[in-house]
Amino acid sequence: MTIQECYEKMGGNYNDVISRLRKETLVEKFLVKFPDDPSYNELVAGIEAVDVKTAFRAAHTLKGVCQNLALADLFEPVNKMTEAFRIEDFNTGKSYLDEVTSNYNTVLEVIGEFVAEQE
């Protein structure tokens, strides 16, 4: 699988990320590091603790990572979640968790497939 095919499969925007990072090697370098980013786990922990400030901070960080890597399908619900938590609307923010989790897991799966094929 090429990096462009990887982006198509996970609902990312390859043209956006390549225009930002300029080189496919940089896109690959940062994309394969995505699973190590702690933001998603921090987000879930914040929601489980009913801690809107922690949830907001984690969602905001995850949103930024998704935007920088042009992970469009994941960015959209994380962005909505971030904005809800920003105004301390915990229940609305939490309502996006299933969609965020589903899209996050898709991204991890596709990155895993991509990495496995590169070995």
Side-chain angles (χ1 to χ4, degrees), residues 91-108:
N91 289 330
T92 298
K94 180 182 175 184
S95 73
Y96 293 105
L97 185 59
D98 288 343
E99 185 179 3
V100 168
T101 298
S102 175
N103 293 354
Y104 178 80
N105 287 335
T106 297
V107 168
L108 292 186

Side-chain angles (χ1 to χ4, degrees), residues 21-89:
L21 297 178
R22 302 278 184 217
K23 294 182 181 179
E24 208 167 84
T25 54
L26 282 178
V27 174
E28 288 180 27
K29 175 184 175 179
F30 291 114
L31 187 65
V32 300
K33 290 182 178 184
F34 178 79
D36 297 328
D37 181 86
S39 303
Y40 174 78
N41 291 329
E42 291 169 2
L43 171 63
V44 171
I47 290 172
E48 287 174 352
V50 192
D51 181 348
V52 71
K53 290 186 186 335
T54 297
F56 167 73
R57 192 171 39 255
H60 190 269
T61 302
L62 183 58
K63 178 182 100 166
V65 173
C66 291
Q67 188 170 28
N68 287 335
L69 289 174
L71 302 175
D73 282 1
L74 180 54
F75 172 82
E76 290 304 321
V78 171
N79 184 44
K80 292 174 187 173
M81 177 185 269
T82 300
E83 294 313 308
F85 287 146
R86 182 185 308 276
I87 61 171
E88 298 190 2
D89 183 349

